[in-house]
């Protein structure tokens, strides 16, 4: 998962990767809590529904820093246009950027992860997003 790769970089003495505020906040939370956080530009998502499923053989997408992310047998998020995220690498198609106006953050947690901790994170983010990220509003839901 992505938090492990981030933590290895920091422990190796590399600088904490700075991208922009939403990505930096998600990366920091992922390192502290050990859970992958997918961050997606809502305006780049297609359709009205998102699906969490297992990727099929031969399925992939273009990653942010990798030309191809293999999804076979891996947990995968999909929209009407196809797969766009998983716990280790997000797609280029739905990636956030400096012009992103609306983000969807997905924390990938096992069913055994303490729900109260996830609820605290959601409440913290909803309360602070306007100040930390310049957001007009924030919402959170645990599913």
């Amino acid at each position: 998962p992505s938090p492990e790769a981030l933590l290895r970089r920091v422990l190796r003495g590399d600088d904490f990767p700075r991208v922009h505020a939403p990505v930096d906040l998600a990366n920091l939370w992922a390192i502290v809590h050990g859970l992958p956080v997918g961050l997606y530009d809502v305006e780049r998502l297609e359709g009205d529904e998102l699906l969490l499923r297992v990727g099929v053989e031969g399925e992939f997408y273009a990653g942010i820093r990798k030309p191809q992310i293999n999804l076979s047998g891996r947990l995968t998020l999909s929209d009407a246009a196809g797969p766009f995220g998983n716990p280790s690498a997000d797609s280029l198609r739905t990636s956030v950027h400096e012009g992103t106006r609306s983000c969807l953050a997905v924390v990938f947690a096992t069913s055994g992860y303490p729900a109260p901790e996830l609820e605290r994170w959601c409440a913290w983010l909803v309360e602070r997003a306007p100040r930390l990220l310049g957001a007009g509003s924030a919402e959170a839901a645990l599913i």
Side-chain angles (χ1 to χ4, degrees):
S2 54
E4 292 177 21
L6 284 168
L7 185 57
R8 280 194 305 270
R9 288 177 67 178
V10 171
L11 292 175
R12 190 172 53 228
D14 295 350
D15 291 337
F16 182 82
R18 301 296 304 262
V19 181
H20 53 82
V23 174
D24 297 346
L25 182 60
N27 284 342
L28 182 59
W29 195 87
I31 288 175
V32 169
H33 295 279
L35 294 176
V37 178
L39 198 58
Y40 312 102
D41 185 323
V42 171
E43 293 175 354
R44 292 181 171 187
L45 295 172
E46 297 194 22
D48 296 329
E49 296 181 348
L50 301 180
L51 178 65
L52 180 63
R53 62 181 177 77
V54 176
V56 297
E57 185 69 32
E59 193 171 34
F60 64 91
Y61 56 68
I64 295 171
R65 285 180 292 283
K66 297 178 183 175
Q68 185 170 306
I69 306 299
N70 178 17
L71 302 172
S72 178
R74 300 173 72 190
L75 198 58
T76 303
L77 283 169
S78 294
D79 64 5
F84 66 88
N86 73 44
S88 63
D90 296 328
S91 76
L92 185 58
R93 174 176 68 88
T94 58
S95 63
V96 296
H97 52 89
E98 288 295 333
T100 296
R101 298 178 322 142
S102 184
C103 294
L104 168 67
V106 176
V107 176
F108 293 93
T110 63
S111 61
Y113 197 85
E117 185 172 337
L118 291 174
E119 289 168 358
R120 280 192 301 277
W121 157 248
C122 289
W124 185 91
L125 186 58
V126 166
E127 179 183 322
R128 290 172 179 83
R131 182 171 47 88
L132 295 174
L133 305 175
S137 66
E139 299 175 31
L142 294 179
I143 54 172

